[in-house]
Amino acid sequence: MSMDMTTVGDTGLLDTLQHEVAVFARRAEQTRLGGVGQVRNSMDRAAYLLLNRLDKEGPMGVKALAASMGIDSSTVTRQVAPLVDTGLVKRTSHPEDGRAVVLQLSPRGQARLEEVRSSRRQLMAELTEDWEPEEREAFCSLLTRFNSALSARMAASGLPGPEAQSPS
């Protein structure tokens, strides 16, 4: 049995937390936390997460990619199409089953992903430049824990959850 934290905890703190999460979500979407310089806002969240997943886990089929990201296969298919069209992702035949399609990061996609990652790292460094290293680590750990709890809750509800297993 889980405790209702709204009755045993500090409701003022929980109100502040829910408000700050809402503000963060709005600001993150407005800026897309895209980075700095010319790369800023140049890759949408869906593209970034798909490319990042293919980079971290290697080539895979649409169903496997969808499952690893906690989203529907049709959504992956729709989101991957422009990445294939622009040459960031390659579609190839599965080596054991020629009917199946395997998606993989192209060399161009790898270079573009690293460019965006570098820009985003620079932004994170700028936003936290006056933080102690321990504060950055604590924030990262707590944000990862929060995202994991949110994903688990969504999975338990049978809802597709946001991809939260790979650092962005």
Side-chain angles (χ1 to χ4, degrees), residues 17-128:
L17 178 60
Q18 67 81 23
H19 175 78
E20 291 301 325
V21 167
V23 170
F24 171 77
R26 181 180 60 212
R27 288 192 178 135
E29 190 57 34
Q30 286 172 336
T31 65
R32 297 185 189 210
L33 290 179
V36 295
Q38 291 184 1
V39 178
R40 186 175 182 276
N41 287 334
S42 61
M43 183 179 288
D44 70 33
R45 181 184 64 237
Y48 179 79
L49 292 172
L50 284 166
L51 295 177
N52 195 56
R53 180 64 60 161
L54 288 172
D55 182 49
K56 298 288 186 194
E57 294 187 16
M60 66 180 78
V62 170
K63 286 183 182 179
L65 183 57
S68 75
M69 295 182 67
I71 58 179
D72 188 75
S73 293
S74 63
T75 301
V76 168
T77 300
R78 187 177 64 253
Q79 292 174 348
V80 159
L83 300 176
V84 171
D85 292 344
T86 57
L88 300 177
V89 171
K90 294 190 302 188
R91 276 192 184 120
T92 58
S93 295
H94 191 282
E96 296 169 12
D97 180 359
R99 299 169 295 166
V101 173
V102 174
L103 302 169
Q104 69 181 72
L105 204 54
S106 70
R108 181 176 180 205
Q110 182 68 55
R112 184 75 182 102
L113 179 60
E114 188 47 45
E115 180 182 37
V116 171
R117 278 181 181 155
S118 177
S119 177
R120 288 179 174 198
R121 275 193 299 271
Q122 185 178 346
L123 176 62
M124 293 301 112
E126 289 176 12
L127 292 174
T128 63

Side-chain angles (χ1 to χ4, degrees), residues 3-22 146:
M3 252 184 217
D4 181 359
M5 294 304 291
T6 60
T7 58
V8 298
D10 181 350
T11 58
L13 180 63
L14 294 174
D15 285 345
T16 300
L17 178 60
Q18 67 81 23
H19 175 78
E20 291 301 325
V21 167
F146 183 85

